[in-house]
Amino acid sequence: MEQQNHSKQLLLQLNQQRAKGYLCDVIIVVENALFRAHKNVLAASSVYFKSLVPHDNLINLDTEMVSPSIFRQVLDFIYTGRLSSSDFVSDHSISSLLIAASYLQLTELAALCRRKLKHNGQTPSSSNKMTPSSSTSPTPNGHTPGPLCLSSTPLHNHQHHNNHSGSKKGSQRPGQEGRLREDLSEKVFISGSRCASLSPSGEGRSNGLGLDLSKRSPSESTATEEVSPSSLLQSSSPHSSSLSPTPTPPTTSSAKPEPPKTSTDLQPRAPRKRPRGDKVTPELEDGEVDGEENGLDQSEGRRRNGNTNYIYRQPQPGFEPGVGDNLYVCIPCGKGFPSSEQLNAHVDTHTHDQLYLKDEEEEEEEEEEECGGYLKDKDPDTCPDDSASKGVKPDAEEPGHLCTVCSKSCKDATSLRQHEKSHWLNRPFPCNICGKLFTQRGTMTRHMRSHLGLKPFACEECGMRFTRQYRLAEHMRVHSGEKPYECQLCGGKFTQQRNLLSHMRMHTSPS
DNA sequence: CTGGGGACGGGGCCC
DNA sequence: AGGGCCCCGTCCCCA
C-alpha cells in the first residue's frame, strides 16, 4: 500500500511552512537578502548544506557564486523540484543557476541546468516547467562539474568551515580570519518597511520568500549607514572563527565546535537554563537561529527617538520581526505580514508624515550644525555632569576643545564632537532588526552582532563564544583562576572587576 | 527565603 | 571603526 502523492503533499506543506517562516530553523544570507528555510530540507537536498546546517543556524553564501535572485530560484527548486519558465529567460540565467547549483552541490539542479543549456544550444525551450524527471537524460548523480562548474567547490569549503575556531586540531590556517571578514562583507539588512516589496529593481526586490535587506525606509537610509557584517566581524580574534581560507568559500556567522553546542552547554559551571529567557524568540527556540541572547528587546526597541525623526512603535503583541508567520516586517510600525503583497499594501497606508517627523537629511544637517543645541533634554545617564564622578577633569587640557555642556576638555575637535554627541538625546543609529536606537554607530553594530548570532571570539578551553574580545579575556580568567581584583577592605579576590565593584557596594552600602 | 559570589550580556563612552 | 573599559542588570548557585 502506498499513499498517493505523499511526497508531493509533504513537500507542498514544507514549502507553505517556509513561506510563513513556520518552524524555519536556519537563515541563509545572500548578499543583502535573508532566506529562511528548514535544515532538514536543505540537508536532504544538498551535501553542502548537509555539512553545514548541523552546526550553523546562519549561513552566509558567497555572492560571487549565487545572487539573491538566483538563490530564490534555487530555494524554490529545493522545495518544489521545479523551476518556472521565468527562471530560464536566458542562457545567462541558466548559467548562473548552474554556478549556484554546483556551488551548493545541488546535483539534480546542476544536471538540469546543464541539460537545459545543452538543449538551448539546439532548440529553444518552450516548456513552462522543468523538472528533473522531465529531462531527457537523467543523471541522478550528476555531480560531475559541467562546463561552468567551479573549482572552488562547497565540499572543499565546508571542510574548512567546520573546523571550529576553538578546536586545537583541524586545518585552521592563517588568513581564515580575513576570509571570515570577506565572506560576511556583503551587506546584510533586516528588512526595512519598503524593502520587501517596493524596490523597483529585480535584484533589490524582495524575492518572494527571502527578505531583501537592502532597501530601507527613507529615515533609515540616512539615519544609518548600511550595516555590513564585515563591520561586525572586524574584531575577529586569532582564535576566533576558523572559517574557510579558500578564496570564495561560503561562511556562516559562527563556527561552532563539534559537536555543536549552545553557549549554555559550554558553560564551565552549571548552565543557565535560559538566560534572558524573556527575550528568546519562541519561533527560534528549536533552531536557536539567533542564539540565546538574540531575542528582540521590543520594549526598548520601539520607542520614540527623543527629539527627532524616527518613530518606533510598540509592535503587535507576540510579533517578532522577521520570524514566525509574519515574514515581512514594516519596520516603522513593527507590524508583520505573511506576504510581500500585504506588506506593500500596508506600507502604502503610511504617510510620510506619519512615519517621520522630519526628513533625514535635515536631521543629519542639524546634527552637524546644532551640536550642543539640544542639551536641555540631555540624558542623565550620559550627561557628563557626572564628569567628576567619572574622573574627568574639566579644563584639564587644551582650553580650545571644551565641551559646552560639561566643560570637559577634549584633545581635539574630533574627540570633542564625539563627546558632545553623548549629550544628545538624539540617537541617530537605529538597529535595523529591532529598531533600538543608539548614540554611536559602533554600539549599534555591536548590538547587531547579537541579533545575527555572531560571536567571533571563542574560548579555546571550553569553546564558549563571545561577541567581544574583552569578554573572552575576562572569561579566560575563569579557566586560569586568576583573580586580579582584590578588595582592599576584606582581601576578597575576584576574577571580574565588576564583581569587585558589586562587592564593594556591599561594604559601603548601609546595612 | 535571602544575601553574597560567580559569570555573563548589553549599552555608554572614551581612546 | 574598532578596542577597551566602565557601569548596570541579570541569572544562577550556594551557604
Side-chain angles (χ1 to χ4, degrees):
Chain A
M1 294 179 63
E2 182 177 351
Q3 171 67 38
Q4 292 287 326
N5 294 327
H6 174 74
S7 58
K8 183 178 180 180
Q9 289 300 319
L10 190 64
L11 204 56
L12 184 62
Q13 284 295 317
L14 286 170
N15 197 33
Q16 290 175 353
Q17 292 181 6
R18 174 175 69 108
K20 296 179 178 180
Y22 184 67
L23 295 179
C24 288
D25 50 9
V26 64
I27 294 176
I28 300 98
V29 181
V30 188
E31 197 170 0
N32 50 17
L34 298 185
F35 299 85
R36 290 187 298 161
H38 302 94
K39 288 183 174 183
N40 279 343
V41 175
L42 297 184
S45 306
S46 156
V47 175
Y48 165 66
F49 281 126
K50 186 178 181 181
S51 70
L52 284 185
V53 294
H55 314 296
D56 294 294
N57 301 319
L58 188 67
I59 297 175
N60 212 310
L61 299 184
D62 190 335
T63 54
E64 292 182 10
M65 300 297 181
V66 55
S67 68
S69 61
I70 291 296
F71 188 71
R72 177 189 58 79
Q73 299 169 26
V74 169
L75 208 50
D76 284 342
F77 177 83
I78 289 175
Y79 274 85
T80 65
R82 295 188 295 183
L83 287 168
S84 80
S85 58
S86 61
D87 296 336
F88 285 105
V89 294
S90 68
D91 281 357
H92 180 265
S93 296
I94 305 173
S95 298
S96 298
L97 261 178
L98 176 55
I99 291 173
S102 299
Y103 167 64
L104 299 172
Q105 293 186 278
L106 290 154
T107 55
E108 285 194 346
L109 179 58
L112 180 62
C113 291
R114 280 193 290 270
R115 286 194 296 273
K116 182 63 180 174
L117 279 174
K118 183 178 179 180
H119 180 68
N120 281 4
Q122 299 170 352
T123 56
S125 171
S126 58
S127 62
N128 289 331
K129 300 283 182 183
M130 293 189 66
T131 68
S133 60
S134 71
S135 60
T136 55
S137 56
T139 52
N141 297 322
H143 188 56
T144 305
L148 295 174
C149 218
L150 301 163
S151 58
S152 176
T153 68
L155 180 60
H156 175 68
N157 294 334
H158 70 66
Q159 286 171 341
H160 295 296
H161 163 84
N162 286 336
N163 287 322
H164 174 248
S165 58
S167 174
K168 293 175 181 175
K169 57 186 178 181
S171 57
Q172 183 172 354
R173 300 176 187 177
Q176 290 174 336
E177 173 189 348
R179 183 57 242 168
L180 170 65
R181 299 176 186 182
E182 291 176 39
D183 291 335
L184 293 179
S185 63
E186 284 72 31
K187 296 179 176 67
V188 174
F189 305 107
I190 295 301
S191 170
S193 63
R194 297 170 184 273
C195 73
S197 56
L198 299 183
S199 171
S201 69
E203 284 296 310
R205 189 178 179 85
S206 168
N207 38 30
L209 300 170
L211 284 175
D212 176 22
L213 308 172
S214 62
K215 304 296 187 299
R216 289 164 296 154
S217 64
S219 101
E220 286 173 298
S221 64
T222 51
T224 67
E225 296 294 328
E226 294 177 337
V227 179
S228 162
S230 64
S231 68
L232 306 179
L233 294 170
Q234 290 288 326
S235 55
S236 297
S237 70
H239 41 259
S240 68
S241 300
S242 62
L243 299 183
S244 170
T246 54
T248 57
T251 66
T252 64
S253 63
S254 61
K256 296 180 175 59
E258 293 180 347
K261 304 170 182 177
T262 66
S263 57
T264 51
D265 292 333
L266 296 167
Q267 293 273 7
R269 302 181 49 194
R272 290 149 65 168
K273 291 292 187 292
R274 176 60 72 189
R276 315 289 187 267
D278 55 331
K279 296 171 70 177
V280 171
T281 304
E283 291 84 350
L284 296 180
E285 279 194 334
D286 288 339
E288 295 286 351
V289 169
D290 284 349
E292 64 178 3
E293 76 282 25
N294 296 336
L296 307 177
D297 190 342
Q298 298 180 17
S299 62
E300 293 187 40
R302 269 73 179 182
R303 63 190 175 197
R304 183 166 175 163
N305 177 14
N307 60 347
T308 64
N309 53 348
Y310 205 65
I311 298 175
Y312 277 98
R313 300 175 191 159
Q314 196 69 23
Q316 294 173 333
F319 167 70
E320 294 283 356
V323 295
D325 290 347
N326 300 311
L327 185 63
Y328 296 88
V329 180
C330 176
I331 288 294
C333 73
K335 291 180 180 178
F337 300 89
S339 71
S340 61
E341 290 76 15
Q342 289 175 267
L343 172 63
N344 194 5
H346 163 79
V347 167
D348 289 340
T349 66
H350 283 304
T351 65
H352 192 78
D353 290 342
Q354 281 178 313
L355 297 179
Y356 317 109
L357 297 183
K358 58 181 173 181
D359 186 73
E360 277 290 319
E361 294 182 3
E362 293 176 12
E363 184 260 340
E364 285 291 328
E365 290 174 5
E366 290 177 10
E367 281 187 15
E368 298 296 326
E369 297 172 0
E370 299 180 11
C371 177
Y374 5 80
L375 305 173
K376 294 176 183 176
D377 290 328
K378 60 191 175 185
D379 186 343
D381 291 338
T382 58
C383 173
D385 283 337
D386 58 355
S387 57
S389 66
K390 292 191 175 183
V392 177
K393 289 196 273 184
D395 298 321
E397 297 177 9
E398 301 175 37
H401 301 291
L402 292 179
C403 174
T404 56
V405 182
C406 67
S407 300
K408 172 180 166 58
S409 175
C410 299
K411 65 177 182 180
D412 54 32
T414 302
S415 297
L416 174 61
R417 174 173 166 74
Q418 184 181 35
H419 164 77
E420 287 190 322
K421 280 186 176 181
S422 68
H423 294 298
W424 302 0
L425 185 59
N426 183 20
R427 293 166 179 265
F429 303 106
C431 169
N432 284 313
I433 295 177
C434 70
K436 192 167 184 176
L437 304 164
F438 297 89
T439 57
Q440 294 190 12
R441 189 189 312 280
T443 305
M444 185 270 291
T445 56
R446 187 180 63 189
H447 164 84
M448 289 285 287
R449 275 185 185 171
S450 62
H451 283 314
L452 297 173
L454 303 181
K455 296 185 174 183
F457 308 103
C459 173
E460 292 186 349
E461 295 290 330
C462 68
M464 192 166 182
R465 307 187 70 89
F466 300 88
T467 58
R468 310 181 197 177
Q469 191 172 30
Y470 176 71
R471 299 295 197 212
L472 174 60
E474 188 181 60
H475 163 82
M476 291 308 292
R477 289 197 285 266
V478 173
H479 297 299
S480 67
E482 181 187 7
K483 295 185 176 181
Y485 303 102
E486 182 173 356
C487 174
Q488 298 301 313
L489 295 177
C490 69
K493 295 183 177 181
F494 302 87
T495 58
Q496 296 185 9
Q497 187 184 31
R498 41 186 163 170
N499 287 338
L500 171 60
L501 295 174
S502 176
H503 168 82
M504 292 304 292
R505 280 193 286 270
M506 183 264 295
H507 279 309
T508 57
S509 63
S511 57

